[in-house]
Amino acid sequence: MSTQDSPGDDPIRVLATHAAGRIRAVSLHIPDRAWMGGAVIGMAPAEGVEHLRQHASHSPQAHAHALALACAQAAGEAPPAKAERLRTERRLAAEMIDMHLRRLLLDWPPSLGFEPRINRYAEFHRRLLHAGEHENDFLLGGEVLDLVARELLAGFFNQIRMPHGIGEFLDRLAGGGSLSSILSELIAHGPSTVPPERRTALLGTLSADAWVAAVGAWPSAEFIRHPRYAGEAAETGPLARHAASPLVRLLLERGNRISARLFAKAIDVADCASTMRHPGSEEVAPLIDACQAAPDVGVARVITARGALLCWVRLAEGRIADCAIVPAGAWNLQPDGVYCREAMCLQATAGDPEALKKRLRWLMLAIDPSLPFVVELVAEEDASAAPAST
C-alpha cells in the first residue's frame, strides 16, 4: 500500500536522519503481522490454508498455496495433479500482476504528480481476483500483455530495434506510455549512486530443495526475521529476476536503480501474463515449489511480486504443530537489507530535506513493502529527540 493509504494501527515506519543533504542513519520498524506463520499453529491444514487466504496481511494466495503444499509434503502426500498445478500457477501469476498494477497504476503516478489510473486498475483487479476459476485466463493474460505494450511502455513496442544507450532509451520513453512518463521523471531527478560495496546481492530463483540445503530442515528465529543467503543479505524481487535484461542492466549501469526496479516490474507483469496463458512452461521456473525437509516437515517456496516467500511446516497428529513463514519483505527491510543500504546513499542538491524525503519514499515504493508505510526524516541534531524505532 502507498503512503496515501491509511497506515492502520501499526505501519512500517522509516526513521531517517539527515545532514548536509545526505542521509546519515536509517532505522525500520516492521510490525509483527508481516509474519503470518504463528497464526496457523494448532489448526488443521485445510483450516490454516483458509485462514491465510482470508486473513494474510499480504499476498494471501501465495501464503495459502505455500502452506497447502508444505503441509502436503510434510504429510507425504502425492504431488497435485497437473490440472491443479496449472490452476495454482495461474492464481499466483494473477496475484503478482494485481500487486504490480496497483503500484504502477495507483501508487506511483501521484508520487510524481500524475493522476492515478483508478478505473483502469479496477477493471483488471476485479477479474484477476477470480483467475484460475474459469477458462478466460488465456484472454485475460492477453489483455494484460496489451496493457504493457500499448499503455505502460508504448514507446518500446512501436519499433523493432531495441534501444542502445540511455539516449535511445529516453527516446523510447518519450514515445508514450504511463509508466514511461514515470520513468522519465525519475531519471530526470538523477541517479542514486550506490558504491559496489554497498550494493545488495541479487538472488535469483532457487528451488525448495536448494533452500533446505542452504538453511536446513528448520530455519532459525534469526533467519525468519532477517533471512540471508550464504551469510549475506539479498534482494529476491523483480530486479533480481530480471537483472540480466539488457534494458534493466542499462538502467543499473547508469545508477538509476529505482527506475530499474520499475522496469523489472513491467517485465514481471508481462511474464506473469504469459504464465496465465501458458502455465507450466519448461522455460520458466514454476512460481511455487515444495519438498519434504524431514519426516513430518514440509517446505514451500513461492515467487511473489516482492520476492521469495518461504514456508516451513511441521505436522503432528494431523495438525500444524509449528509453522515458520519468511515473507519477501523480511529480505528487503532488514537492518542490513537493500532499503537501508541504498537509503544511506541518497542525497539531494542544496540539501533540500523534502527532496530527500521524496527519494526515501520512492525507494520504499520501488522495494514494494507488503504493508502501509510512513517515512519520518529528522535533522541529525534533532535525532536524539525523535521517537525510538525498533
Side-chain angles (χ1 to χ4, degrees), residues 37 40-49 67 71 312-323:
V40 298
I41 294 175
M43 296 182 181
E47 181 186 3
V49 169
L67 182 66
C71 285
W312 276 260
V313 171
R314 180 179 288 113
L315 295 182
E317 298 180 354
R319 304 189 81 80
I320 298 170
D322 203 355
C323 180

Side-chain angles (χ1 to χ4, degrees), residues 229-389:
Y229 184 77
E232 298 291 332
E235 186 171 355
T236 67
L239 183 63
R241 292 194 288 272
H242 303 295
S245 163
L247 298 182
V248 173
R249 188 168 64 245
L250 172 65
L251 292 169
L252 287 175
E253 290 170 351
R254 287 188 52 85
N256 300 110
R257 300 183 72 81
I258 291 177
S259 298
R261 291 187 177 95
L262 265 66
F263 204 92
K265 279 180 173 292
I267 297 175
D268 235 20
V269 171
D271 282 359
C272 288
S274 295
T275 295
M276 290 187 67
R277 289 166 65 83
H278 302 289
S281 170
E282 295 181 358
E283 300 174 358
V284 181
L287 296 179
I288 187 167
D289 181 42
C291 69
Q292 188 176 64
D296 302 317
V297 176
V299 178
R301 180 274 300 150
V302 185
I303 299 173
T304 77
R306 300 175 177 96
L309 182 147
L310 305 174
C311 176
W312 276 260
V313 171
R314 180 179 288 113
L315 295 182
E317 298 180 354
R319 304 189 81 80
I320 298 170
D322 203 355
C323 180
I325 297 178
V326 182
W331 292 94
N332 299 330
L333 301 178
Q334 59 181 292
D336 192 35
V338 60
Y339 184 83
C340 288
R341 287 189 181 196
E342 296 197 13
M344 288 293 293
C345 299
L346 295 178
Q347 53 186 306
T349 56
D352 181 5
E354 281 305 310
L356 272 178
K357 194 169 185 178
K358 279 185 179 180
R359 288 178 178 266
L360 286 167
R361 288 172 174 160
W362 291 341
L363 178 59
M364 185 60 85
L365 277 177
I367 297 299
D368 197 357
S370 57
L371 299 171
F373 69 91
V374 293
V375 175
E376 183 179 2
L377 179 66
V378 298
E380 191 169 43
E381 58 269 23
D382 299 329
S384 60
S389 180

Side-chain angles (χ1 to χ4, degrees), residues 3-206:
T3 51
Q4 286 74 38
D5 291 313
S6 171
D9 295 331
D10 194 9
I12 294 170
R13 297 184 184 277
V14 180
L15 174 61
T17 61
H18 72 96
R22 300 184 65 93
I23 300 298
R24 298 300 186 187
V26 181
S27 62
L28 292 167
H29 163 76
I30 308 174
D32 288 341
R33 61 195 174 102
W35 287 268
M36 296 297 301
V40 298
I41 294 175
M43 296 182 181
E47 181 186 3
V49 169
E50 187 58 25
H51 179 85
L52 291 183
R53 184 172 284 117
Q54 297 297 327
H55 302 293
S57 58
H58 57 285
S59 305
Q61 289 285 356
H63 276 83
H65 284 290
L67 182 66
L69 211 52
C71 285
Q73 287 289 326
E77 296 177 5
K82 181 178 180 180
E84 181 57 31
R85 292 200 306 272
L86 298 186
R87 275 195 296 271
T88 297
E89 289 287 309
R90 287 191 174 104
R91 287 169 179 155
L92 293 172
E95 183 171 71
M96 288 177 67
I97 292 169
D98 184 64
M99 292 181 177
H100 283 320
L101 291 185
R102 178 183 172 85
R103 289 297 190 204
L104 298 177
L105 298 180
L106 297 188
D107 294 340
W108 270 105
S111 76
L112 287 151
F114 300 104
E115 289 293 321
R117 303 187 64 195
I118 298 172
N119 291 337
R120 195 69 172 119
Y121 171 71
E123 292 174 18
F124 283 98
H125 176 67
R126 286 191 295 268
R127 299 167 66 193
L128 289 166
L129 285 177
H130 301 288
E133 299 176 5
H134 44 63
E135 299 303 317
N136 294 329
D137 292 340
F138 183 88
L139 295 176
L140 179 55
E143 291 181 36
V144 173
L145 289 172
D146 286 344
L147 174 73
V148 174
R150 298 178 181 179
E151 299 182 37
L152 297 183
L153 295 169
F156 289 85
F157 293 87
N158 292 334
Q159 300 185 44
I160 296 176
R161 181 176 176 272
M162 182 181 295
H164 295 274
I166 193 64
E168 290 188 2
F169 187 91
L170 292 172
D171 287 342
R172 295 292 197 280
L173 293 180
S178 58
L179 180 56
S180 294
S181 299
I182 292 168
L183 291 170
S184 294
E185 285 292 318
L186 286 172
I187 292 172
H189 280 82
S192 53
T193 303
V194 180
E197 66 274 12
R198 295 292 301 170
R199 295 172 191 166
T200 308
L202 298 176
L203 181 61
T205 300
L206 300 178

